Amino acid sequence: MLGVILNPYHLQIVSFILINIILGISIYITLSSGQLSLGNAGFMGIGAYTSALLTINFDLPIFLGIILGAVVAGVFGILIGIPALRLSGVYLAIATLGFGEVIRVIFVNWESITQGSIGLSGIPHMGRELFKTFSLTGFDPDMLGLKNNQFIYLLVVLTLLLVNILLIWFFIRQNKSRVGRAFAAIKMDEKAAESMGINITYYKVLSFTQGAILAGFAGALYAHVMAYISPADFAYHRAVDILIFSIFGGSELIWGAIFGATFMTILPEALRFISDYRYMIYGVVLIAMMAFRPQGIIDVSLLNWFKKKLKLKRGGSLGIRTKKYN
Amino acid sequence: MRNSLKKVYLLISVLMVVMLAACGEDNTNTSNASENSGGPVSAKIGVISYMTGPGAAYGEAITNGFNLALDEINEKGDVKIELVIEDSAGKQDQAMTVAQKLMSSDDIVALLGPTLSTEMNVVGPEADINGIPIMGTSTTAAGIPQIGEYVFRNSIPESLAIPAALEKAVNKYGVKKVAILYGNDDLFTQSGFDTMKAEAEKMGLEIVTIETFQKGQSDYNAQLTKIKDLQPDLILASALYNEGAVIMDQARKMGIDLPFVGGNGFNSPQVIEIAGEASDGLIVATPWFGEKDDPKVQEFVKKYESAYGHKPDQFAAQAYDALYIMAEGLKNAGEADRDALRDALAEIKDLDGILGKFSFDEDGDVIMEPTVLIIKDGAFQQFE
């Protein structure tokens, strides 16, 4: 029964959705302090290459590689974040876009290590490695009525799901904390926030670095799910894709990024039956969104409306609550 | 009002039931046919192709080639093949998801494609693990068939094409010194360069300089001036045709009239269209030569032209032959089974196709004699 529902095709799509959600959150975090960064593809590349090279050349366990990938991306985030502080708006976007391209060109030209545009193959696959450990303990997927490759992808999806839940939980908590309020204040008005005693430098670099770490983390996961990466994966198309996740879903709320990443990953797959036209529809959807709902699909008022509905359905006998924003 | 709505719902539900029933029937039909060992083997083959995006022209040529071969094969009736064609948009992750989709359907016995070598690097290992034969028809980078024993290709790799062209050029022009020019941000041209360099060193040629350029570059004067000063006897250019044609044009304008040797990506009639007279002297080795004096080739060209309105290119020809190879494999296997098909494919020898006599080596790579062509007076001609 389980074996019929868990089609590797669907599991594969779900695993891409989960990785894209992390990417969506990474741009949401930088946007939440009012900074538009297009360098997330570059940070993603740093994370992916770091983890891939460490696991290939030094036989590091995958989870350590992924963590180090995120850390290295974070270090670059601090290095870029501090000088980029002087820039805002479009100028920051251009500078970070340039950074992303520089990173890609380094991957292309540093052939002795990255193998240039041929790319790195033979990266240990997360699911297959997990499967090996499970096999050692004497576990056989047949006990659940699953085939080997179904089980491998199920493991990948479950791992990613766990990671996603933790991340989303963390960032929702953060948004309600002093840090989240500081981000929101800076986004609203930098000068006013500063006069209220918020350390702008600190919080801006913090949000930029958090974005970089998340992008690097997602990149490292991507490398171990695909088992092959090449510099073309981290070109500016990717930066734009990531930005679309958050902009489409709504950049005010973390749920916007999550919704955007999910929707934008499913859309091309769901439209497969019209083959040649699917990317046209993708474009039309984006244009329609920009025209009719420039703030993104999910915004605060939609969320409140939804909550009210939910409350009414439950009977709404809990009395008046104070409004909550997450 | 309510009544009419009800009728609409009823109509829709009836339609859906009919559609469902139709689907179900279809399934049972195919499974019956494949179990029936007396008649011809019938099988479904999945195709992963690059049909939307900047490289959609490749995918189109490839699927055209498949469809043309499909009609002929089914008409002949030795085997009955059904193709399930899916788009990858040239992206690795999409190629991977769609490969999963095809592989998880049990009645698909083999995969053809994906179009790009980068996609194959992702899909190949997965297909190998799942034990489904996969054959690339346009993946020329080194190391593809070595991914696993279920991975094949029928496109001649750079490591076969470039040495053939180089050897003939060196013998003809008495070359001693060569200059190499290549695009370093593309898998295709990079792997072509690796072969060129290795081959030039093996043949004891002096490499005077190695110059690089990037995709979409429009000014090559810096590299060409340097090459001109060093006075090589031959220029090796690992470029795709769009950049390659511009390079030749600028070289001729600068007064460099040396012959060029190019890789697979340089081999396109587009070069002549873009560079005009400047393209004279380009030497490439290719499995496909549309003017070949072979009735099979001429028939294919004629059929293709009448069906799609233009001449077939290398990619269409390779796809056409690939499906014939699959058909031959299925016929020899005698059943629509993935493992049986793999073994049958591995044993294919000297199969006559429009590209020439075709065999697989022990890795699943191509053994074939490529034709060396040169552009002369604005047309590709056989190079002697």
Side-chain angles (χ1 to χ4, degrees), chain A residues 244-259:
Chain A
I244 288 174
F245 293 152
S246 180
I247 301 287
F248 179 83
S251 55
E252 292 172 33
L253 293 162
I254 194 168
W255 297 110
I258 295 166
F259 172 77

PDB file of all heavy atoms in Angstrom, chain A residues 244-259:
ATOM      1  N   ILE A 244      12.117  34.954  -7.281  1.00  0.00           N
ATOM      2  CA  ILE A 244      10.711  34.765  -7.653  1.00  0.00           C
ATOM      3  C   ILE A 244       9.945  34.000  -6.570  1.00  0.00           C
ATOM      4  O   ILE A 244       8.803  34.310  -6.269  1.00  0.00           O
ATOM      5  CB  ILE A 244      10.601  34.058  -9.023  1.00  0.00           C
ATOM      6  CG1 ILE A 244      11.014  35.014 -10.137  1.00  0.00           C
ATOM      7  CG2 ILE A 244       9.190  33.559  -9.255  1.00  0.00           C
ATOM      8  CD1 ILE A 244      11.068  34.375 -11.492  1.00  0.00           C
ATOM      9  N   PHE A 245      10.593  33.003  -5.964  1.00  0.00           N
ATOM     10  CA  PHE A 245       9.920  32.228  -4.907  1.00  0.00           C
ATOM     11  C   PHE A 245       9.321  33.166  -3.877  1.00  0.00           C
ATOM     12  O   PHE A 245       8.167  33.050  -3.499  1.00  0.00           O
ATOM     13  CB  PHE A 245      10.908  31.302  -4.184  1.00  0.00           C
ATOM     14  CG  PHE A 245      11.447  30.197  -5.032  1.00  0.00           C
ATOM     15  CD1 PHE A 245      12.694  29.656  -4.780  1.00  0.00           C
ATOM     16  CD2 PHE A 245      10.704  29.690  -6.083  1.00  0.00           C
ATOM     17  CE1 PHE A 245      13.199  28.645  -5.568  1.00  0.00           C
ATOM     18  CE2 PHE A 245      11.204  28.674  -6.872  1.00  0.00           C
ATOM     19  CZ  PHE A 245      12.456  28.156  -6.605  1.00  0.00           C
ATOM     20  N   SER A 246      10.168  34.098  -3.428  1.00  0.00           N
ATOM     21  CA  SER A 246       9.726  34.970  -2.352  1.00  0.00           C
ATOM     22  C   SER A 246       8.785  36.074  -2.853  1.00  0.00           C
ATOM     23  O   SER A 246       7.784  36.373  -2.212  1.00  0.00           O
ATOM     24  CB  SER A 246      10.948  35.576  -1.664  1.00  0.00           C
ATOM     25  OG  SER A 246      10.544  36.405  -0.631  1.00  0.00           O
ATOM     26  N   ILE A 247       9.108  36.648  -3.995  1.00  0.00           N
ATOM     27  CA  ILE A 247       8.288  37.747  -4.505  1.00  0.00           C
ATOM     28  C   ILE A 247       6.896  37.241  -4.884  1.00  0.00           C
ATOM     29  O   ILE A 247       5.885  37.858  -4.590  1.00  0.00           O
ATOM     30  CB  ILE A 247       8.946  38.407  -5.742  1.00  0.00           C
ATOM     31  CG1 ILE A 247      10.334  38.937  -5.393  1.00  0.00           C
ATOM     32  CG2 ILE A 247       8.063  39.496  -6.312  1.00  0.00           C
ATOM     33  CD1 ILE A 247      10.341  40.160  -4.537  1.00  0.00           C
ATOM     34  N   PHE A 248       6.858  36.092  -5.525  1.00  0.00           N
ATOM     35  CA  PHE A 248       5.572  35.542  -5.955  1.00  0.00           C
ATOM     36  C   PHE A 248       4.707  35.190  -4.751  1.00  0.00           C
ATOM     37  O   PHE A 248       3.544  35.522  -4.679  1.00  0.00           O
ATOM     38  CB  PHE A 248       5.783  34.300  -6.829  1.00  0.00           C
ATOM     39  CG  PHE A 248       4.507  33.670  -7.295  1.00  0.00           C
ATOM     40  CD1 PHE A 248       3.852  34.167  -8.405  1.00  0.00           C
ATOM     41  CD2 PHE A 248       3.950  32.603  -6.617  1.00  0.00           C
ATOM     42  CE1 PHE A 248       2.667  33.597  -8.835  1.00  0.00           C
ATOM     43  CE2 PHE A 248       2.758  32.034  -7.034  1.00  0.00           C
ATOM     44  CZ  PHE A 248       2.118  32.541  -8.154  1.00  0.00           C
ATOM     45  N   GLY A 249       5.295  34.504  -3.806  1.00  0.00           N
ATOM     46  CA  GLY A 249       4.513  34.066  -2.653  1.00  0.00           C
ATOM     47  C   GLY A 249       4.136  35.213  -1.746  1.00  0.00           C
ATOM     48  O   GLY A 249       3.155  35.158  -1.016  1.00  0.00           O
ATOM     49  N   GLY A 250       4.919  36.260  -1.765  1.00  0.00           N
ATOM     50  CA  GLY A 250       4.691  37.377  -0.851  1.00  0.00           C
ATOM     51  C   GLY A 250       5.884  37.519   0.069  1.00  0.00           C
ATOM     52  O   GLY A 250       6.220  36.584   0.794  1.00  0.00           O
ATOM     53  N   SER A 251       6.538  38.673  -0.001  1.00  0.00           N
ATOM     54  CA  SER A 251       7.806  38.783   0.724  1.00  0.00           C
ATOM     55  C   SER A 251       7.625  39.320   2.143  1.00  0.00           C
ATOM     56  O   SER A 251       8.577  39.508   2.869  1.00  0.00           O
ATOM     57  CB  SER A 251       8.768  39.681  -0.058  1.00  0.00           C
ATOM     58  OG  SER A 251       8.157  40.922  -0.294  1.00  0.00           O
ATOM     59  N   GLU A 252       6.372  39.572   2.557  1.00  0.00           N
ATOM     60  CA  GLU A 252       6.179  40.098   3.907  1.00  0.00           C
ATOM     61  C   GLU A 252       6.240  38.991   4.952  1.00  0.00           C
ATOM     62  O   GLU A 252       6.548  39.239   6.105  1.00  0.00           O
ATOM     63  CB  GLU A 252       4.810  40.773   4.014  1.00  0.00           C
ATOM     64  CG  GLU A 252       4.684  42.044   3.205  1.00  0.00           C
ATOM     65  CD  GLU A 252       3.253  42.552   3.201  1.00  0.00           C
ATOM     66  OE1 GLU A 252       2.548  42.367   4.207  1.00  0.00           O
ATOM     67  OE2 GLU A 252       2.844  43.115   2.177  1.00  0.00           O
ATOM     68  N   LEU A 253       5.886  37.790   4.530  1.00  0.00           N
ATOM     69  CA  LEU A 253       5.737  36.708   5.491  1.00  0.00           C
ATOM     70  C   LEU A 253       6.578  35.509   5.069  1.00  0.00           C
ATOM     71  O   LEU A 253       6.799  35.280   3.885  1.00  0.00           O
ATOM     72  CB  LEU A 253       4.280  36.248   5.532  1.00  0.00           C
ATOM     73  CG  LEU A 253       3.292  37.250   6.089  1.00  0.00           C
ATOM     74  CD1 LEU A 253       1.893  36.872   5.691  1.00  0.00           C
ATOM     75  CD2 LEU A 253       3.427  37.294   7.599  1.00  0.00           C
ATOM     76  N   ILE A 254       7.002  34.747   6.045  1.00  0.00           N
ATOM     77  CA  ILE A 254       7.769  33.537   5.737  1.00  0.00           C
ATOM     78  C   ILE A 254       6.897  32.553   4.960  1.00  0.00           C
ATOM     79  O   ILE A 254       7.366  31.834   4.084  1.00  0.00           O
ATOM     80  CB  ILE A 254       8.331  32.916   7.027  1.00  0.00           C
ATOM     81  CG1 ILE A 254       9.394  31.883   6.686  1.00  0.00           C
ATOM     82  CG2 ILE A 254       7.237  32.300   7.881  1.00  0.00           C
ATOM     83  CD1 ILE A 254      10.195  31.423   7.863  1.00  0.00           C
ATOM     84  N   TRP A 255       5.596  32.569   5.231  1.00  0.00           N
ATOM     85  CA  TRP A 255       4.688  31.651   4.521  1.00  0.00           C
ATOM     86  C   TRP A 255       4.648  31.965   3.030  1.00  0.00           C
ATOM     87  O   TRP A 255       4.400  31.089   2.208  1.00  0.00           O
ATOM     88  CB  TRP A 255       3.278  31.716   5.101  1.00  0.00           C
ATOM     89  CG  TRP A 255       3.265  31.278   6.529  1.00  0.00           C
ATOM     90  CD1 TRP A 255       3.060  32.056   7.625  1.00  0.00           C
ATOM     91  CD2 TRP A 255       3.544  29.972   7.023  1.00  0.00           C
ATOM     92  NE1 TRP A 255       3.173  31.307   8.764  1.00  0.00           N
ATOM     93  CE2 TRP A 255       3.469  30.029   8.428  1.00  0.00           C
ATOM     94  CE3 TRP A 255       3.848  28.749   6.414  1.00  0.00           C
ATOM     95  CZ2 TRP A 255       3.690  28.924   9.237  1.00  0.00           C
ATOM     96  CZ3 TRP A 255       4.057  27.643   7.207  1.00  0.00           C
ATOM     97  CH2 TRP A 255       3.982  27.737   8.604  1.00  0.00           C
ATOM     98  N   GLY A 256       4.883  33.243   2.705  1.00  0.00           N
ATOM     99  CA  GLY A 256       4.918  33.629   1.301  1.00  0.00           C
ATOM    100  C   GLY A 256       6.027  32.903   0.576  1.00  0.00           C
ATOM    101  O   GLY A 256       5.819  32.331  -0.498  1.00  0.00           O
ATOM    102  N   ALA A 257       7.244  32.915   1.167  1.00  0.00           N
ATOM    103  CA  ALA A 257       8.378  32.246   0.540  1.00  0.00           C
ATOM    104  C   ALA A 257       8.110  30.749   0.407  1.00  0.00           C
ATOM    105  O   ALA A 257       8.415  30.134  -0.617  1.00  0.00           O
ATOM    106  CB  ALA A 257       9.642  32.476   1.361  1.00  0.00           C
ATOM    107  N   ILE A 258       7.504  30.190   1.449  1.00  0.00           N
ATOM    108  CA  ILE A 258       7.234  28.743   1.431  1.00  0.00           C
ATOM    109  C   ILE A 258       6.225  28.414   0.343  1.00  0.00           C
ATOM    110  O   ILE A 258       6.418  27.493  -0.456  1.00  0.00           O
ATOM    111  CB  ILE A 258       6.726  28.278   2.803  1.00  0.00           C
ATOM    112  CG1 ILE A 258       7.835  28.465   3.838  1.00  0.00           C
ATOM    113  CG2 ILE A 258       6.258  26.844   2.762  1.00  0.00           C
ATOM    114  CD1 ILE A 258       7.364  28.355   5.251  1.00  0.00           C
ATOM    115  N   PHE A 259       5.159  29.210   0.307  1.00  0.00           N
ATOM    116  CA  PHE A 259       4.136  28.979  -0.713  1.00  0.00           C
ATOM    117  C   PHE A 259       4.716  29.172  -2.111  1.00  0.00           C
ATOM    118  O   PHE A 259       4.508  28.355  -3.013  1.00  0.00           O
ATOM    119  CB  PHE A 259       2.964  29.932  -0.495  1.00  0.00           C
ATOM    120  CG  PHE A 259       1.948  29.897  -1.604  1.00  0.00           C
ATOM    121  CD1 PHE A 259       1.056  28.853  -1.688  1.00  0.00           C
ATOM    122  CD2 PHE A 259       1.926  30.888  -2.571  1.00  0.00           C
ATOM    123  CE1 PHE A 259       0.136  28.803  -2.723  1.00  0.00           C
ATOM    124  CE2 PHE A 259       1.022  30.842  -3.607  1.00  0.00           C
ATOM    125  CZ  PHE A 259       0.125  29.794  -3.682  1.00  0.00           C
TER     126      PHE A 259
END
